[in-house]
Amino acid sequence: MIVLGIDTSCDDTSVGIVNNLEVLANVISSQDDLHAAWGGVVPNIARRAHQENFPAVYQQALADAGVEEKDIEAIAVTYGHGLAVSLEVGLQEAIKLAQKLAIPLYPINHSEGHLVANFAQTGEEPGLSPDDITWPALAVLVAGGQTQLVKVEALGKYQIIGETVDDAIGEAFDKSARLLGLDYPGGPQLAALAEQGNSQAYDLPRPMRQSKDLNVSYAGLKTAFLRLVRSLIDNPETDKIPSQLTTSQKADLAASFQAAAIETILIKVKKALAQTDYQHIFLGGGVAANQKLRQDLTTLAQKNEAQLHIPPGIKLCRDNAAMIALAGFLASQRVKPATNLDNLDRDPQLRMDE
Ligand code: KG4
């Protein structure tokens, strides 16, 4: 089944095409440069860029996949969670296409996309199939807008067992990176800088480590990092901070922050594994690209005799629409498509357990 997926949940315009679980195209037009000057995503700039970029991204996806519009058998689109004005652009394009081609439309939860990215087949080798999984499985979703631990009873049956009570892990990476003078989104650059540094150089908290639940907090870590950085310099004005730090201080700060951010979530993953005998762990979201997180989670999974799955390729970890197309294909096997497309609305706060 050829499914075309659309994701405009935040600041990337993406169209992906799959044939069942096989990824045929995954085009992402990044808006990072447009938002970098502002240090974060500006909703109106994002909406306009989605509107302008969509036609070219759509045509490129068809060309990459080597399919024509008439070959598409279903549309899948992210309708939540995300930025309302951004979600609206993708949803409108999806509805227009589904009506024009008279094909079914599957509204998809963005987080479910990050989970099912693990089933993407990208090469000659057969990928992971949902039939290979012993349920329940544990999903660790770590992104710029979200941090969640999800008990996956089966595809489509989710229970959020832990989540951030404030900021997302990726947001904490980006804000801390900014303090070190790195451009938005600074997470990957902070991770690269951390490789040169000593993760024990500075003491940072692991917020909520003692709480019995599986929730995490990243606002506390972000504030502790700001305080630490300010304690090292004379002029605390945010844009003057980077020039007052030495190269080795920056590397040590990055390494110490990264260690704290990762341990904070791993403490709760460990607790989740102690509560339930999960045999499979799925990682997903932009922060899944982080090498230290991958290594530490691999070690933890091995200790618990669980298998860790990571989406094949960094492109499938970050926001992308091939994962939405995959979720659409998998949804088509268990649920009916949307009816009454004219009333279909975005849901910026959509949760995975709804
Ligand atoms: O899933 P995603 O593309 O979109 C959002 O949910 O926003 O995730 C993007 C996030 C950003 O915060 C980015 O800095 C972070 O993922 N990220 C990383 C790494 N690569 C991307 N954070 C830490 N280490 C990385 N290697």
Side-chain angles (χ1 to χ4, degrees), residues 9-12 41 81 110 114 142-146 169-174 184-192 258 262 284-291 314 317-320 323:
S9 57
C10 188
D11 59 339
D12 290 318
V41 179
H81 54 97
H110 182 77
H114 280 308
V142 282
Q146 154 220 74
I169 182 170
E171 192 182 341
F173 261 95
D174 294 339
Y184 173 84
Q189 298 166 69
L190 186 147
Q258 176 173 258
I262 288 170
V287 183
N290 187 283
Q291 289 303 328
I314 287 186
C317 290
R318 60 180 287 202
D319 286 355
N320 72 91
M323 69 182 193

Side-chain angles (χ1 to χ4, degrees), residues 11 32 34-43 45 174-175 178 184:
D11 59 339
D32 285 350
L34 292 176
H35 300 287
W38 307 93
V41 179
V42 184
I45 295 179
D174 294 339
K175 296 261 166 67
R178 194 159 187 231
Y184 173 84

Side-chain angles (χ1 to χ4, degrees), residues 276-290:
T276 306
D277 181 22
Y278 295 107
Q279 291 181 34
H280 295 268
I281 305 172
F282 295 105
L283 188 58
V287 183
N290 187 283

Side-chain angles (χ1 to χ4, degrees), residues 3-10 12-18 50 54 72 74-84 86-99 103-113 320-332 337-338 341 344-347 350:
V3 184
L4 180 131
I6 299 173
D7 186 88
T8 60
S9 57
C10 188
D12 290 318
T13 315
S14 184
V15 175
I17 301 175
V18 297
H50 283 310
F54 185 82
I72 306 168
I75 305 282
V77 62
T78 302
Y79 76 109
H81 54 97
L83 267 180
S86 292
L87 289 164
E88 279 162 13
V89 180
L91 197 56
Q92 277 161 15
E93 295 292 350
I95 292 170
K96 261 195 305 194
L97 259 178
Q99 286 174 334
I103 53 176
L105 185 153
Y106 294 90
I108 301 294
N109 181 324
H110 182 77
S111 296
E112 186 178 31
N320 72 91
M323 69 182 193
I324 302 304
L326 280 169
F329 165 67
L330 291 165
S332 75
L341 296 194
L344 197 58
D345 202 4
R346 82 282 185 286
D347 185 349
L350 183 67

Side-chain angles (χ1 to χ4, degrees), residues 94-345:
I95 292 170
K96 261 195 305 194
L97 259 178
Q99 286 174 334
K100 177 178 158 194
L101 302 174
I103 53 176
L105 185 153
Y106 294 90
I108 301 294
N109 181 324
H110 182 77
S111 296
E112 186 178 31
H114 280 308
L115 164 66
V116 303
N118 282 280
F119 298 116
Q121 191 177 333
T122 52
E124 299 290 305
E125 296 292 309
L128 184 69
S129 153
D131 297 335
D132 300 334
I133 306 300
T134 311
W135 311 99
L138 176 68
V140 180
L141 304 178
V142 282
Q146 154 220 74
T147 309
Q148 277 178 348
L149 298 183
V150 182
K151 184 175 191 175
V152 185
E153 301 280 1
L155 287 181
K157 229 172 144 200
Y158 309 114
Q159 188 192 347
I160 298 170
I161 54 173
E163 61 190 320
T164 179
V165 297
D166 40 53
D167 297 347
I169 182 170
E171 192 182 341
F173 261 95
D174 294 339
K175 296 261 166 67
S176 302
R178 194 159 187 231
L179 279 184
L180 301 179
L182 305 170
D183 281 343
Y184 173 84
Q189 298 166 69
L190 186 147
L193 191 57
E195 285 185 22
Q196 328 290 321
N198 170 9
S199 62
Q200 320 236 301
Y202 300 106
D203 204 16
L204 284 164
R206 276 61 171 159
M208 295 186 71
R209 81 176 307 155
Q210 304 295 357
S211 76
K212 289 214 169 55
D213 56 34
L214 299 176
N215 291 335
V216 291
S217 158
Y218 280 98
L221 175 59
K222 197 179 70 182
T223 310
F225 188 70
L226 175 64
R227 257 197 232 115
L228 166 64
V229 171
R230 283 191 171 148
S231 73
L232 300 174
I233 53 161
D234 294 327
N235 184 345
E237 267 180 66
T238 309
D239 57 345
K240 302 266 179 351
I241 289 175
S243 62
Q244 299 172 78
L245 295 166
T246 65
T247 307
S248 83
Q249 269 178 325
K250 283 185 195 168
D252 286 349
L253 283 165
S256 301
F257 170 83
Q258 176 173 258
I262 288 170
E263 201 185 342
T264 296
I265 184 82
L266 285 197
I267 288 167
K268 297 305 170 96
V269 174
K270 207 168 160 185
K271 262 191 192 158
L273 291 171
Q275 286 174 5
T276 306
D277 181 22
Y278 295 107
Q279 291 181 34
H280 295 268
I281 305 172
F282 295 105
L283 188 58
V287 183
N290 187 283
Q291 289 303 328
K292 181 170 166 50
L293 174 63
R294 289 176 175 216
Q295 282 159 10
D296 292 359
L297 204 48
T298 302
T299 309
L300 184 59
Q302 278 166 354
K303 271 192 198 149
N304 285 272
E305 294 177 6
Q307 259 179 280
L308 174 67
H309 306 288
I310 301 176
I314 287 186
K315 210 168 167 188
L316 280 155
C317 290
R318 60 180 287 202
D319 286 355
N320 72 91
M323 69 182 193
I324 302 304
L326 280 169
F329 165 67
L330 291 165
S332 75
Q333 299 187 316
R334 45 168 220 268
V335 295
K336 296 220 172 324
T339 49
N340 203 353
L341 296 194
D342 292 328
N343 286 343
L344 197 58
D345 202 4

